[in-house]
């Protein structure tokens, strides 16, 4: 880790969780070498952990972005890969070309460091809930002998109604 930090002005971290990241970065040798550099945290976590990471980074003279990868691993580096970033906008903008190489749909979601984490959890909650609803509908169709391709071809054109419902809910 020390050699990687010495060789780079931007350190991208994507491990299991913040605890694993801390085990790598929060050692005296590594912390000293990070001063004046940028850490881009892409490990899975919660907003409190992002705030703690940001505080640690500020304390040690490290610029910090917190992000969330909204893709399967095979999507990393593709134009379709969405990665959300939160933190200082000037840090994001200064390193945007590098960040775009990780995912072509790179989005800055705000300076509140917890925003990427909370959006990740919120979007995944929606995704898994929608997946379960889809599977429940498939089970209902199967129970009545309705072919699943009929279910899907009937469902897909109705999705704009879902988008309209969500938009209306936000506007209320």
């Amino acid at each position: 880790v020390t050699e990687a930090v010495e060789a780079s002005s931007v350190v991208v971290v994507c491990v299991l969780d913040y605890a694993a990241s801390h085990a790598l970065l929060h050692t005296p040798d590594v912390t000293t070498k990070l001063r004046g550099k940028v850490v881009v945290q892409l490990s899975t976590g919660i907003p409190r952990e992002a705030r703690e990471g940001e505080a640690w980074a500020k304390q040690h003279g490290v610029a910090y972005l917190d992000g969330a990868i909204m893709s399967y691993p095979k999507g990393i580096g593709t134009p379709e890969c969405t990665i959300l970033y939160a933190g200082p906008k000037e840090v994001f903008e200064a390193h945007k070309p590098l960040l775009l190489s990780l995912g072509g749909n790179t989005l800055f979601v705000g300076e509140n460091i917890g925003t990427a984490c909370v959006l990740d959890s919120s979007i995944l909650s929606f995704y898994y809930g929608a997946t379960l609803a889809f599977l429940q509908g498939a089970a209902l169709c199967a129970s009545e002998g309705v072919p699943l391709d009929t279910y899907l071809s009937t469902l897909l054109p109705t999705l704009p109604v879902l988008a309209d419902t969500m938009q209306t809910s936000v506007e209320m």
Side-chain angles (χ1 to χ4, degrees):
V1 174
T2 304
E3 290 176 19
V5 169
E6 285 176 341
S8 306
S9 60
V10 178
V11 177
V12 178
V13 183
C14 185
V15 293
L16 178 63
D17 57 22
Y18 284 71
S21 174
H22 294 170
L24 297 171
L25 300 180
H26 294 201
T27 66
D29 289 347
V30 174
T31 299
T32 300
K33 304 247 186 267
L34 282 170
R35 182 172 295 282
K37 298 187 178 197
V38 177
V39 169
V40 178
Q41 178 64 268
L42 296 178
S43 304
T44 300
I46 59 175
R48 176 185 49 79
E49 292 171 310
R51 288 188 294 275
E52 290 168 355
E54 179 183 50
W56 172 85
K58 284 181 182 178
Q59 178 184 358
H60 296 285
V62 178
Y64 185 82
L65 291 174
D66 196 88
I69 301 170
M70 308 305 295
S71 176
Y72 291 110
K74 69 180 182 179
I76 301 298
T78 66
E80 300 80 25
C81 178
T82 297
I83 304 179
L84 311 177
Y85 293 96
K89 186 160 186 153
E90 65 275 4
V91 175
F92 172 81
E93 290 297 336
H95 301 288
K96 193 171 182 179
L98 169 68
L99 302 176
L100 283 166
S101 74
L102 299 174
N105 191 31
T106 290
L107 302 173
F108 180 75
V109 294
E111 295 205 354
N112 176 340
I113 202 70
T115 302
C117 287
V118 78
L119 284 172
D120 179 40
S121 295
S122 299
I123 292 167
L124 288 176
S125 294
F126 174 80
Y127 172 79
Y128 290 122
T131 300
L132 288 173
F134 173 78
L135 293 173
Q136 174 66 21
L140 290 170
C141 288
S143 74
E144 287 297 316
V146 175
L148 295 182
D149 61 340
T150 300
Y151 169 49
L152 184 61
S153 67
T154 305
L155 172 66
L156 291 177
T158 69
L159 292 180
V161 174
L162 176 61
D164 288 346
T165 300
M166 291 186 292
Q167 184 66 43
T168 300
S169 297
V170 168
E171 293 169 358
M172 293 178 95

